[in-house]
Amino acid sequence: MRFFSFNLEKPVRYFMSGEFTSANKKWIHQKRYHKGDYEIFYVLKGPLYLQLDDQKVTVNANSILIVPPYTQLAGSKPTEDGVDFYWLHFFPQCNVTDYEGDLNDFSEVYSNTKNCVTLPMSFNVTNNNYTTILFHQVISTHKSSCPVSKCDFLVSALLIDLFDDFSSSFKKTGEHSRLQSIREYITANMSCDLTVEKVAENVHLNRNYLTRLFKKYLGMTTNQYITNLKIEVASLLLLRTDMPINVVATKSFFRNPKVFMRRFKIVKGLSPVKGGFKLSFYGGLKMY
């Protein structure tokens, strides 16, 4: 996935914009070459079939496409049932970081950058009505007697709102599904050697961001979550087997029986006892 990170310490420069509508089922976009400007497509009715250099792209309704500078743009095939879209060109005044990555990379940028908005090359818009209003506002302002500088700020605000829309959608869906896959990874790879650093490395996330995910959605750190899983394994072994404490410690992925007993008491509030441990699974977990 391709991302663009726009530095907005200075507003971008508005170039031109408009809305295009065609009921022609056989309409196809003409060839264009982007020099130093970026173009944003916002498709209201589609799909719109485009080709960027050698890459064919389909932009569906309620979707955004960002076309970078020095790109050959053309239609890849005719529309099937007409098309309606907004188009907007602008020039950045500050540096733009252009990189290939995935949503994990977006997590890092989202968490650590200032004065920048980072957007994927294409994505779906969730707040469709509001986005339509923003595009229409830019076009209307340009046609009025207002100075061009106002359009600069409106386009910059549009980029910020698109960033808010995408990041909000990302946080609602991406983080939940990502956390679930991380929990599954921890369960499948539980061992004495499993550490937060190893989990972060294998799921391709920064350790601090990983811990923020666990704190946000589970109310505990990554390390606390791993320890609680180990303690639950130990609890089942104590209830259902007659294993000695040191064996239970090993089977529940603790290297040291003394550390196991100390952690068990902190989490459960009780000491493990061979074959006679009484545990209520309905009590709350205590975090160390």
Side-chain angles (χ1 to χ4, degrees):
M1 182 181 291
R2 191 173 180 182
F3 288 88
F4 304 104
S5 188
F6 299 97
N7 187 322
L8 296 182
E9 290 183 358
K10 294 181 179 179
V12 299
R13 290 289 190 186
Y14 171 85
F15 181 27
M16 57 182 177
S17 63
E19 181 180 4
F20 179 83
T21 302
S22 175
N24 185 353
K25 295 183 179 181
K26 297 299 180 181
W27 180 85
I28 188 169
H29 199 291
Q30 295 181 352
K31 287 185 178 181
R32 296 278 193 277
Y33 181 73
H34 290 67
K35 294 184 179 180
D37 59 301
Y38 284 80
E39 181 176 10
I40 300 179
F41 285 92
Y42 174 43
V43 177
L44 303 176
K45 179 184 178 182
L48 173 63
Y49 301 106
L50 298 173
Q51 182 164 330
L52 312 181
D53 292 331
D54 297 327
Q55 179 186 8
K56 291 184 178 180
V57 178
T58 300
V59 192
N60 294 310
N62 303 319
S63 295
I64 293 286
L65 173 70
I66 301 175
V67 181
Y70 311 109
T71 301
Q72 182 72 51
L73 170 68
S76 61
K77 69 176 184 178
T79 57
E80 298 162 348
D81 191 26
V83 69
D84 184 5
F85 61 86
Y86 288 106
W87 54 272
L88 190 157
H89 294 253
F90 66 92
F91 293 90
Q93 291 199 79
C94 300
N95 292 334
V96 178
T97 303
D98 180 344
Y99 64 93
E100 293 285 343
D102 56 25
L103 290 178
N104 293 328
D105 299 303
F106 175 79
S107 302
E108 296 306 308
V109 174
Y110 175 81
S111 302
N112 298 315
T113 57
K114 295 181 179 180
N115 302 319
C116 292
V117 295
T118 300
L119 294 168
M121 187 172 183
S122 62
F123 60 96
N124 295 327
V125 172
T126 58
N127 197 344
N128 305 313
N129 292 336
Y130 184 61
T131 302
T132 301
I133 291 171
L134 293 174
F135 273 91
H136 184 73
Q137 185 178 27
V138 173
I139 295 171
S140 299
T141 302
H142 171 64
K143 291 180 178 179
S144 69
S145 58
C146 293
V148 175
S149 59
K150 184 173 182 179
C151 287
D152 296 346
F153 287 100
L154 286 175
V155 176
S156 300
L158 171 64
L159 292 174
I160 294 171
D161 282 303
L162 289 176
F163 171 76
D164 286 342
D165 186 280
F166 177 73
S167 59
S168 176
S169 174
F170 170 80
K171 287 188 289 183
K172 289 178 182 177
T173 59
E175 287 188 346
H176 281 293
S177 60
R178 182 173 294 102
L179 182 60
Q180 181 58 34
S181 65
I182 294 170
R183 293 171 69 181
E184 291 172 357
Y185 169 83
I186 291 173
T187 301
N189 293 274
M190 186 63 69
S191 69
C192 296
D193 298 322
L194 187 65
T195 62
V196 177
E197 288 79 8
K198 287 185 178 181
V199 174
E201 180 181 354
N202 280 278
V203 300
H204 309 292
L205 288 178
N206 176 274
R207 172 180 174 161
N208 293 333
Y209 177 74
L210 179 66
T211 295
R212 285 199 297 272
L213 277 182
F214 275 87
K215 289 285 287 185
K216 180 178 179 179
Y217 293 105
L218 299 180
M220 65 182 77
T221 66
T222 313
N223 200 33
Q224 287 170 339
Y225 181 80
I226 293 172
T227 298
N228 285 338
L229 282 184
K230 293 180 179 181
I231 295 302
E232 290 303 319
V233 172
S235 299
L236 291 173
L237 292 175
L238 288 167
L239 284 174
R240 298 179 182 179
T241 72
D242 197 30
M243 293 180 180
I245 296 299
N246 62 328
V247 176
V248 171
T250 302
K251 294 290 185 180
S252 54
F253 313 108
F254 286 92
R255 291 186 180 278
N256 190 318
K258 291 184 178 179
V259 173
F260 161 65
M261 294 185 70
R262 183 169 65 251
R263 295 287 174 82
F264 193 99
K265 188 171 183 178
I266 291 172
V267 172
K268 292 298 185 182
L270 296 169
S271 298
V273 179
K274 174 186 174 182
F277 175 66
K278 295 182 180 180
L279 176 68
S280 171
F281 284 98
Y282 302 100
L285 293 178
K286 295 183 179 179
M287 302 301 158
Y288 64 94

